[in-house]
Amino acid sequence: MAGVSYILSLLFGALSVAMLPPAVTGVVNGSPAGEIFFICAGLLGFVAGAMFFALQGRSRGLKRDNAVFAIVLAWFALPPIAALPIGLAGPLGAMDALFEATSGLTTTGATVFRSVDVLAPAVILWRAELQWLGGLLTLITFTAILSPLGFGGLSARGLAAIGRDRNGVSKTWNLIRGLVAVYTSGTLLCLAALFLAGVPAFDALALSLSTVSTGGFMPRDGTLDVYQLPVANAVVFLFMLVGATSVVWHRYILDVRRDDPAGHLESYWVLAIVGVVAVAYFLTMPAGDRSLPDAVARAAFTAASIVSTTGYETGQGALAAVPPPLTMFLLFVGGAALSTAGGVKLYRAGVMMIQSGRELHRLVFPNSVQGPGRWGFRPEDGMVKAVWANLSIAMLAVILAALLMALELPSVESSLFAAVSAFSNAGPFYASAAPDAPAFYAFGNLSKAVMMFTMILGRLEVFVFVALLTMTSRVRF
């Protein structure tokens, strides 16, 4: 368990350091929130340091079972800690503060605050930071643990491109360092672009942290139209696409490598789906509702917001104009694997389509010999079984969550929309799909608890919980 404690000490330390910018922001603005964040950062830093130095000289290696346990424990341990300054610095109770922190870390974007404008700047920045940290933790979870172990049919193909040692061999820590470099560079580019577009510095910082992580928290009430900056909308659109596509694809683009098109086909499909949804949205817009450039921009932005599971809007009602069943389907599928987008990932939907085509071909031509396909990709039987099992368990989890929340919510439809938005880590879509349903702050404690658990399920992959329960090291999930 020394390895598990070591990982937790690093995560606690990172969370402690992350509390310092909100603390400084609070002090500069003369808000009592600054002192609260400083106190929380100091206490957490002390605990992290004590854990870290207590493990010196002990073996900190992680076996498969311990790695799975460590990542599950981290996702459940971090939200209560992150909720402390939110609860102490704001008007929220313990359950609401925990809900807000969990929503932030899982990049869900569901909020129990009735207004953001009345919050202290330190709390606004902390919410954005939580989403950024949650996006990074999601990428680390997938690239360093879940994909190498093959959970739910995930593939480790191409991960060596993110981090290499001097011999060209991918190692876990080099992988994480490379991942942090790519993720941070993208965030800084987004921040600079938003600032140059005219967004105020503080808002640009908060927006960049939430956009790259596809989180969806706004630093102000309302939509992005509050800034009246079309160029800023274009910047957010671009980085929502970045968040919805694979981080491995990003690295290959930076390296100007085109030697593995099959390994990145998923990201191209994400862009294609955004294009199809944008065209469909544009064609269904009322004639004369907006000028042609504005209509095209709104359609493209809304499509990217849905596919990336971010939830930003460029105007009131933009997301509500999409039929709720279509929105829920796109959210459940989500973006690319190894991205910060939510959902079960387009990669799995692609595997199912390829396998369905192969089975159909086998029925029509039973004696034919099938090759690897146009792109040289043929899913193995073990991968197909894992993908099917993951999708089945994911749908079961959403149904169970909806049934539990239906005990408190006024309708089955609203509970289903809430369950899908939580599992897909796309909280802002709940209000657009179920406009007459109660807001998150009006949820009962049972519904909030179910929402939080479902948010973490969506981020961790339901197969991880199966693995944790079985703790069977000989089975490749």
Side-chain angles (χ1 to χ4, degrees), residues 142-473:
F142 277 94
T143 58
I145 298 177
L146 301 186
S147 291
L149 294 176
F151 277 95
L154 292 173
S155 173
R157 187 176 187 177
L159 289 182
I162 301 178
R164 290 192 173 107
D165 62 11
R166 294 180 180 178
N167 296 321
V169 181
S170 178
K171 301 294 184 181
T172 300
W173 287 112
N174 287 328
L175 182 68
I176 293 176
R177 281 195 292 267
L179 186 63
V180 172
V182 172
Y183 190 66
T184 304
S185 299
T187 306
L188 293 176
L189 285 174
C190 184
L191 170 61
L194 287 173
F195 181 73
L196 293 175
V199 179
F202 180 82
D203 288 26
L205 174 59
L207 273 177
S208 63
L209 294 173
S210 294
T211 300
V212 173
S213 62
T214 63
F217 275 156
M218 281 285 295
R220 298 188 185 187
D221 289 334
T223 68
L224 287 173
D225 267 1
V226 70
Y227 300 108
Q228 294 295 309
L229 296 170
V231 177
N233 294 346
V235 171
V236 174
F237 165 78
L238 174 63
F239 282 93
M240 283 194 298
L241 294 182
V242 171
T245 49
S246 171
V247 67
V248 175
W249 187 56
H250 303 161
R251 187 55 185 259
Y252 270 69
I253 291 176
L254 294 175
D255 291 344
V256 197
R257 298 180 61 177
R258 300 180 180 87
D259 57 336
D260 192 17
H264 314 296
L265 185 60
E266 181 189 26
S267 293
Y268 294 111
W269 274 106
V270 168
L271 300 181
I273 291 174
V274 170
V276 171
V277 174
V279 170
Y281 188 96
F282 174 78
L283 294 177
T284 56
M285 292 181 69
D289 184 40
R290 287 188 171 207
S291 65
L292 180 61
D294 287 345
V296 171
R298 178 168 181 169
F301 189 96
T302 303
S305 181
I306 294 173
V307 175
S308 66
T309 68
T310 304
Y312 282 144
E313 292 181 289
T314 54
Q316 291 293 344
L319 295 176
V322 182
L326 176 60
T327 300
M328 293 298 104
F329 172 76
L330 292 172
L331 293 178
F332 185 75
V333 173
L338 306 183
S339 73
T340 58
V344 295
K345 309 304 180 188
L346 188 60
Y347 175 81
R348 294 191 175 100
V351 169
M352 289 296 94
M353 291 180 62
I354 292 173
Q355 185 62 20
S356 298
R358 294 181 64 85
E359 293 297 332
L360 182 61
H361 185 276
R362 185 179 300 174
L363 288 174
V364 178
F365 305 102
N367 297 322
S368 65
V369 178
Q370 301 185 47
R374 179 180 178 183
W375 295 94
F377 175 69
R378 178 178 179 178
E380 300 176 356
D381 291 341
M383 175 185 292
V384 174
K385 292 178 181 178
V387 168
W388 266 119
N390 187 86
L391 290 175
S392 301
I393 298 174
M395 288 187 288
L396 179 61
V398 170
I399 292 173
L400 290 176
L403 290 175
L404 287 173
M405 286 189 284
L407 298 175
E408 291 184 342
L409 297 183
S411 66
V412 176
E413 290 81 4
S414 60
S415 63
L416 180 60
F417 292 149
V420 173
S421 64
F423 183 83
S424 301
N425 304 116
F429 291 93
Y430 166 74
S432 62
D436 297 329
F440 291 119
Y441 61 78
F443 278 26
N445 286 338
L446 172 63
S447 296
K448 289 176 182 175
V450 172
M451 283 281 292
M452 288 186 285
F453 185 78
T454 309
M455 292 175 196
I456 297 176
L457 262 185
R459 269 301 170 223
L460 260 181
E461 297 281 311
V462 289
F463 250 37
V464 174
F465 287 89
V466 177
L468 185 63
L469 291 175
T470 59
M471 297 297 282
T472 304
S473 60

